[in-house]
Amino acid sequence: MTEAQPVRVVLVDDHSMFRSGVRAELAADSGVEIVGEAGGVGEAVAVIGRTKPDVVLLDVHMPDGGGKAVLEQVKDQDVRFLALSVSDAAEDVIGVIRAGARGYVTKTISGPDLGAAVRRVKDGDAVFSPRLAGFVLDAFTRPESSRELDPELDQLTQREREVLRLLARGYAYKEIASRLFISVKTVETHVSSVLRKLQLSNRYELSRWATDRRLV
Amino acid sequence: MQLAAPPPRLYRAADGRVVAGVAQGLANHLAVKPLYVRIAFAVLATFNGFGIVVYLALWAVIPQEPVAADAPRRPRRRAVERGTVLALVAVAAGGLLLSRGVPILGNNILLVPLLLAGAGLAVLWSQADKDQRDRWRRISLFETEPTTRRSVAIIRFVGGAILVAAGVASFLLLSGTLSAARDGLVAGVAVLAGLALLTAPLWWRLVADLTQERRERIRSQERADLAAHLHDSVLQTLALIQRHSDEPREVARLARGQERELRTWLYRPEDREESKFAAALEAVAGEVEDAYVVQVESVVVGDAEVDDRLGAVVQATREALVNAAKHAGVGTISLYAEVEPAEVTVFVRDRGAGFDPELVDEDRHGVRGSIVGRMERHGGEATIRSVVGAGTEVELSMDRSTT
């Protein structure tokens, strides 16, 4: 086989029905291999430590602190996280991204799209759902009068804004690239830099969303 | 043989009471007019305040007439009775003072402190009245009760206590036994402080238990709300889905509609206003989802009050969504709207069949009139990009700067 090694994935979700659904959908994708499953925070930490996966598909809402708790407990390991949730609430999405996840997709995502997202996260890029892109635009366009803005972290460049707008409009990376006359790699760089700002910025809206996170 | 009715018990009246219902209750029991009883009390009161003492004693001893909890509180006939009673009280007081000889401050200096203390006690005891206590308990358990009542209760309590303290203090002062009482007072305070310290854990636990109980009550209330909501919506929809299990379109429509509804209920920010642009767009998206069994992925950035022009944008968006749902032949439509200070932009995009805009008949009313025409009439712009086989995107923009 000339094909590169498949991406090793651990699936963390407290609903076993959902896990088996994802497993079935990803089975069609030869580039992804599910090496472990976990139904809770403690189990997830153990499975991730044992299997050393490339990517963890992480449910946002779980008992005992949810996906955020898993992120906090395996912070030091070389593993990337893609958050998966039915919730569209800003505090859930932003909360899990700021805790360290490299992307966020909703559970309605199709099998092929999920496979592509997993590979993208494995390569160190970010994955934004349209809604996440919308949240970021919203948070970064709101005027912040209370204090000085750090242009490095608290503001988006014009190009980043354009990329996010197209993401929010439902464009795929390739479509964005051809639309803006840039390479896909450049699109990925822009999105990763937005992710970094999203994780590190002190903008009020972001920290509010990240801390107000409610558990359902 | 007929069973004898139980002997009527003497109760303080709940209805028609003026102070504590003693006179009214006695009158009910003796089957006479309450006015006569009140006159009797007033007359007795002129004998060194004997009537007042009797009244207070009866108040303490006679139980409150039981009232069904759910019985509507009948308004007390206060307006009529109060005048009479005030008059009687005035007569009694006058008689009392006369029998003692005016001026009060001259030969009966102790009367004032006594009256003061008595008034304070009356206020305090009225608080301890059973229905008052019930009301207190209700107030402390449910914060939905107007808090003014609680503050009124506190004011009355404090006021009563001050009256009593003032009465006692001036009594001691006037009767010259203040210094003797002071020693006793110090001892008494010491004992009380000791008692308070001893029982502090008990009180503390009592308060904690109450708080805990209240919190649990609130929680179970929330759970009940949630259960009611799930029952009204989700369970009904699930039942419908089972009935339509052989019609995939219908199932998809039901599931999507329910998902949207539940999502709104769970995640919608509480401060969102329904009259705003974002809400209007999402409502339109929901209508289209329901009518055409498609999924509209809507993302709205920023928000604004809907005016004439934004209303036109909402309607044009609706038309664009309908077109995509009808002609694109795909299950998902992306809707993106951004509200900026200077303009509002909306994108409706599908990855469906697409069409050649050059070949669209002039009579395709949807695009010409409802989208382009509508936007232009209101000073906006509509651009339609479509590639056969790759989908369609409708871009609507509306200037907001001029008003």
Side-chain angles (χ1 to χ4, degrees), chain B residues 202-215:
Chain B
L202 189 76
W203 290 111
W204 185 252
R205 209 174 57 221
L206 208 67
V207 169
D209 282 356
L210 260 177
T211 317
Q212 171 73 13
E213 193 191 320
R214 184 160 79 203
R215 201 173 296 139

Side-chain angles (χ1 to χ4, degrees), chain B residues 193-266:
Chain B
L195 271 179
L197 273 178
L198 273 177
T199 53
L202 189 76
W203 290 111
W204 185 252
R205 209 174 57 221
L206 208 67
V207 169
D209 282 356
L210 260 177
T211 317
Q212 171 73 13
E213 193 191 320
R214 184 160 79 203
R215 201 173 296 139
E216 259 161 31
R217 198 190 311 271
I218 289 169
R219 205 175 296 146
S220 72
Q221 179 107 25
E222 274 175 358
R223 208 176 298 136
D225 282 353
L226 184 66
H229 181 86
L230 290 181
H231 178 264
D232 287 349
S233 59
V234 180
L235 283 185
Q236 308 276 15
T237 307
L238 286 177
L240 276 176
I241 285 178
Q242 285 171 41
R243 276 226 301 274
H244 292 275
S245 56
D246 49 348
E247 302 163 51
R249 258 181 77 86
E250 185 62 12
V251 169
R253 195 179 66 79
L254 286 168
R256 181 64 185 163
Q258 183 58 63
E259 181 193 339
R260 192 177 54 243
E261 201 248 359
L262 191 60
R263 219 177 254 296
T264 312
W265 192 70
L266 285 174

Side-chain angles (χ1 to χ4, degrees), chain B residues 242-392:
Chain B
Q242 285 171 41
R243 276 226 301 274
H244 292 275
S245 56
D246 49 348
E247 302 163 51
R249 258 181 77 86
E250 185 62 12
V251 169
R253 195 179 66 79
L254 286 168
R256 181 64 185 163
Q258 183 58 63
E259 181 193 339
R260 192 177 54 243
E261 201 248 359
L262 191 60
R263 219 177 254 296
T264 312
W265 192 70
L266 285 174
Y267 301 124
R268 190 186 29 214
E270 272 152 30
D271 52 2
R272 198 168 92 156
E273 291 162 59
E274 293 304 326
S275 67
K276 292 224 162 165
F277 184 64
L281 274 189
E282 265 157 41
V284 162
E287 283 169 30
V288 174
E289 282 192 341
D290 265 353
Y292 297 96
V293 198
V294 289
Q295 191 165 337
V296 178
E297 301 267 9
S298 60
V299 176
V300 183
V301 173
D303 210 349
E305 209 61 53
V306 176
D307 55 13
D308 252 14
R309 284 188 280 176
L310 289 195
V313 174
V314 171
Q315 287 312 312
T317 304
R318 187 192 149 79
E319 201 56 40
L321 287 171
V322 168
N323 276 338
K326 278 207 290 214
H327 305 299
V330 287
T332 310
I333 305 166
S334 300
L335 164 64
Y336 172 72
E338 187 169 354
V339 181
E340 289 168 292
E343 80 174 340
V344 171
T345 356
V346 176
F347 296 89
V348 175
R349 176 165 195 273
D350 67 73
R351 295 160 185 278
F355 61 92
D356 188 342
E358 299 295 311
L359 299 179
V360 172
D361 303 336
E362 280 300 310
D363 63 335
R364 272 279 292 276
H365 182 73
V367 173
R368 281 266 151 264
S370 301
I371 302 181
V372 183
R374 192 195 300 266
M375 291 300 290
E376 280 168 1
R377 267 202 306 283
H378 289 84
E381 218 181 307
T383 317
I384 297 161
R385 286 179 288 271
S386 188
V387 177
V388 175
T392 306

Side-chain angles (χ1 to χ4, degrees), chain A residues 86 131 165 169-171 175, chain B residues 263 298 338 347 351 393:
Chain A
V86 287
R131 196 166 282 261
R165 279 204 183 103
R169 279 156 65 180
Y171 279 63
E175 293 166 323
Chain B
R263 219 177 254 296
S298 60
E338 187 169 354
F347 296 89
R351 295 160 185 278
E393 183 167 61

